[in-house]
Amino acid sequence: MENIKFEICCGSLQSALNAQEAGADRVELCSALSLGGITPSYGFIELARKRLKIDINVLIRPRQGDFLYDSDEVAVMLRDITACAQMGVNGVVIGALDPFGNVDEDACRAMVAVAKHYGMSVTFHRAIDRACNIMAALEDVISAGADRVLSSGGKNSSQEGADTLARMNEAASGRIIIMPGGGVNAGNISQILKTTGAQEIHFSGSETIQSEMIYREGVSFTPDSLGGDFTRTESSIEKIRQTIGAAQQI
């Protein structure tokens, strides 16, 4: 397992710095993780590129919700990809489906083409886990030209979807990287890697941080179901190191 690459999902600059310190090979930058992640701010991307030495991928997702995008939303994503290239990131993370749960090949090919024009890698994100046929979707993603697929095997977690991820990895046959992600932690990473045969894996290693605000009166902007106004999540150096360490014990 010495050649395994560890990608950390980071929703803040501090999380990205923590991931680098903990030994990650790459980070995926995003915001609003409680909503499944959307494209982060340009300020975040630019500062991360200046302060990190490891590879940086950026999530390209204009809003929460489904992965069915109209022409204006695709245009936004294409411009975000170009902006990421101008800021020197290594890759982008994209995905789009049609109304029937198939890969939107036209939209994805357009996004891949822009990314490749600027020399960036392309990851197809967990939209594939909402596809009507995950194995057929995998072939469409390969055809669109993506370099890797982030997936939980169509289940809520990579542990639950490990057998499907193994089938995806076998079907990929070196044509694309299958990267498990979703619910990965120190307690299950070794089994996920063993079952799937994956060479890259994605997790957040996050912990809840309590706000230092003393004054807490007034209106609330964050529902309690999302943690409320006075907590946030950050990637933990200790949790990332523990998870990487567990994988390296295989």
Side-chain angles (χ1 to χ4, degrees):
M1 291 297 168
E2 296 158 357
N3 297 322
I4 297 296
K5 288 189 176 181
F6 301 96
E7 178 181 276
I8 309 301
C9 180
C10 298
S12 70
L13 178 61
Q14 186 59 57
S15 288
L17 294 169
N18 289 349
Q20 176 171 261
E21 184 174 342
D25 298 290
R26 181 175 64 238
V27 293
E28 180 200 5
L29 305 185
C30 55
S31 64
L33 287 172
S34 61
L35 302 177
I38 59 176
T39 304
S41 74
Y42 291 173
F44 175 17
I45 299 169
E46 186 176 35
L47 279 177
R49 183 64 289 168
K50 287 181 178 178
R51 297 184 62 181
L52 269 62
K53 296 179 181 178
I54 59 176
D55 284 356
I56 295 174
N57 286 356
V58 174
L59 175 63
I60 305 298
R61 186 183 180 214
R63 57 164 171 79
Q64 69 181 87
D66 61 33
F67 302 105
L68 176 63
Y69 300 113
D70 63 25
S71 59
D72 286 337
E73 290 173 318
V74 172
V76 168
M77 291 190 284
L78 293 174
R79 283 161 176 75
D80 281 339
I81 292 170
T82 299
C84 285
Q86 292 168 345
M87 287 183 279
V89 306
N90 303 94
V92 291
V93 183
I94 62 117
L97 301 177
D98 71 14
F100 304 100
N102 303 300
V103 172
D104 183 340
E105 293 189 70
D106 289 342
C108 290
R109 286 180 185 276
M111 288 188 276
V112 169
V114 173
K116 296 293 185 180
H117 172 75
Y118 290 106
M120 293 187 292
S121 70
V122 177
T123 301
F124 192 95
H125 57 52
R126 290 186 61 196
I128 197 169
D129 293 321
R130 297 303 302 268
C132 62
N133 183 322
I134 198 167
M135 299 306 292
L138 174 62
E139 292 300 324
D140 291 339
V141 170
I142 292 171
S143 179
D147 299 289
R148 71 176 55 79
V149 176
L150 170 62
S151 175
S152 60
K155 302 294 184 181
N156 289 326
S157 71
S158 293
Q159 186 171 11
E160 296 174 76
D163 289 340
T164 298
L165 287 164
R167 288 196 294 118
M168 293 170 69
N169 200 31
E170 183 178 3
S173 189
R175 295 177 294 162
I176 196 169
I177 296 165
I178 305 298
M179 181 171 63
V184 177
N185 55 53
N188 62 23
I189 189 170
S190 61
Q191 189 58 52
I192 292 169
L193 290 170
K194 285 178 182 177
T195 301
T196 63
Q199 294 296 302
E200 297 190 9
I201 195 159
H202 170 105
F203 62 98
S204 65
S206 62
E207 63 180 351
T208 299
I209 306 294
Q210 296 296 322
S211 171
E212 295 182 4
M213 282 294 298
I214 296 172
Y215 179 75
R216 298 194 176 198
E217 300 302 320
V219 298
S220 174
F221 294 101
T222 309
D224 289 341
S225 61
L226 298 180
D229 288 340
F230 301 107
T231 65
R232 68 182 192 277
T233 58
E234 300 283 4
S235 291
S236 160
I237 295 173
E238 181 180 357
K239 285 189 175 182
I240 295 170
R241 283 177 174 165
Q242 288 175 347
T243 306
I244 292 175
Q248 292 173 337
Q249 295 302 312
I250 301 174

